[in-house]
Amino acid sequence: RAPQDAHLSDYTDEGYTVIPADNGTTVDKEKLAAVVTNAVSTLEDDLDLDASGVYENAAVATDDKNLNELAENLNRCVNSKITFTFGSSVETLEGSTIKEWIAVSDDNSVSVDSAKAREYVNSLSRKYDTFGQPRHFRTTAGDEITVTGGSYGWWTDRPATAAELTEAIMNGQSGNLDVVYRAAAAQYGDSDIGNSYVEINIGAQHLYVYKDGQIVCESDFVSGGLFKGNNTPDGTYPITYKEQDATLVGENYSSDVSYWMPFNGNIGMHDASWRSSFGGHIYYLSGSHGCVNLPVSKAKEIFGYVEK
């Protein structure tokens, strides 16, 4: 019976184990001849073949250092159990998947296939990211509409998240791993804007500020000039930042404002002390360059509610 080297088992829920070596019962004939010759020449009555070492041995012993280190390194990776939490939804990554990502080099070192980790992160991103996607929205007037465009929502930093996932697996980490985001929303789920937001109704030239689901402020405004092609863009946007006593500079204009709340590049909400009236159809012929112009008192009030 030929010797069998010690080797790793197939993957199970418990990981990998070392299958012990089996030296078998194959005789090395030259060694056998030598020990028999010696026994005859020394007039031995008995010859213990096991003790004489005449059988062939397995090339890889059960206690082989490299083999046992390989098992330890593999198990550290596949015994990871990593979860990603998206609100009420949880995605779990376990050894049965991780084992397909593991590569073993000629020197028995272990690595994680970064391309497979990246594809896994990509699949999570495709499933849960909401950045720039259309949103179903119920207006204050009670209409169910779909809002398209904008630059708001969950946006996964795929390379950074994949790198952290790879490191977590190599370290044998278990538990929740946070996704790295380029942009974040207020909450997970179908209504990721949450219940604190500003609803800007261009057609009505009127806006509402919601805080924790309640209207806390509302105001008429003047938006971008319709007939001059300066329309205020539709969409869902985050407040980029807010600034007091800013100077807005554009082509052929410079305006000092007290309350500046941009949400789309150089377009935002701000006070317009130079206007005496707001709302109605002013924006048809005498609209802004794209911003939402507000009475000073209302801009101040809104400024106190909104956050970056």
Side-chain angles (χ1 to χ4, degrees):
R1 185 164 51 82
Q4 299 290 322
D5 291 344
H7 59 280
L8 294 183
S9 68
D10 292 334
Y11 172 81
T12 68
D13 290 341
E14 303 301 320
Y16 296 92
T17 58
V18 174
I19 304 299
D22 179 3
N23 285 327
T25 56
T26 300
V27 172
D28 183 322
K29 294 180 179 179
E30 291 184 0
K31 288 182 179 180
L32 177 60
V35 297
V36 170
T37 298
N38 182 67
V40 171
S41 65
T42 56
L43 304 179
E44 297 289 342
D45 292 324
D46 300 292
L47 177 59
D48 186 342
L49 295 184
D50 289 322
S52 299
V54 299
Y55 293 104
E56 292 183 3
N57 293 321
V60 181
T62 304
D63 61 354
D64 182 82
K65 179 180 178 181
N66 290 334
L67 182 64
N68 282 272
E69 283 184 355
L70 175 59
E72 181 181 347
N73 291 336
L74 286 172
N75 285 330
R76 183 174 62 251
C77 294
V78 299
N79 287 337
S80 293
K81 185 176 181 180
I82 298 172
T83 57
F84 293 91
T85 303
F86 304 90
S88 60
S89 299
V90 176
E91 299 285 344
T92 302
L93 177 66
E94 298 183 287
S96 57
T97 298
I98 294 173
K99 73 181 180 66
E100 303 297 336
W101 302 1
I102 303 300
V104 179
S105 63
D106 292 338
D107 62 357
N108 276 348
S109 61
V110 173
S111 62
V112 175
D113 188 328
S114 59
K116 292 181 178 178
R118 176 69 180 270
E119 178 50 38
Y120 179 80
V121 171
N122 289 352
S123 69
L124 297 181
S125 176
R126 289 190 293 267
K127 186 175 182 179
Y128 292 103
D129 279 5
T130 60
F131 188 85
Q133 293 183 5
R135 287 173 176 80
H136 300 296
F137 180 74
R138 185 179 181 84
T139 70
T140 301
D143 297 322
E144 297 286 346
I145 65 172
T146 298
V147 180
T148 59
S151 56
Y152 175 85
W154 297 106
W155 180 14
T156 300
D157 186 332
R158 295 181 177 188
T161 303
E164 293 206 359
L165 174 58
T166 299
E167 182 178 2
I169 293 172
M170 290 298 296
N171 291 335
Q173 178 178 330
S174 290
N176 194 70
L177 185 66
D178 292 331
V179 174
V180 181
Y181 286 108
R182 297 181 184 272
Q187 62 185 31
Y188 291 101
D190 294 335
S191 182
D192 63 355
I193 65 173
N195 56 8
S196 295
Y197 55 87
V198 182
E199 175 190 337
I200 300 175
N201 189 324
I202 300 295
Q205 293 287 282
H206 195 80
L207 64 74
Y208 303 88
V209 180
Y210 280 83
K211 186 72 173 179
D212 298 327
Q214 301 297 318
I215 297 175
V216 292
C217 176
E218 60 180 286
S219 176
D220 287 336
F221 61 81
V222 177
S223 62
L226 182 63
F227 296 154
K228 293 181 180 179
N230 294 327
N231 304 51
T232 301
D234 292 339
T236 308
Y237 298 91
I239 297 293
T240 312
Y241 61 92
K242 61 180 188 178
E243 179 183 358
Q244 285 190 264
D245 300 324
T247 299
L248 310 182
V249 179
E251 186 176 352
N252 301 322
Y253 75 89
S254 176
S255 303
D256 294 326
V257 301
S258 297
Y259 306 100
W260 171 226
M261 298 159 278
F263 55 79
N264 180 14
N266 290 326
I267 296 176
M269 296 180 288
H270 63 77
D271 54 292
S273 58
W274 55 89
R275 291 187 183 275
S276 58
S277 59
F278 299 84
H281 297 151
I282 298 172
Y283 77 110
Y284 282 8
L285 297 173
S286 185
S288 70
H289 291 87
C291 286
V292 175
N293 290 182
L294 293 158
V296 176
S297 61
K298 291 296 185 180
K300 179 180 180 180
E301 189 176 356
I302 295 169
F303 190 89
Y305 284 115
V306 301
E307 301 173 357
K308 176 182 176 179

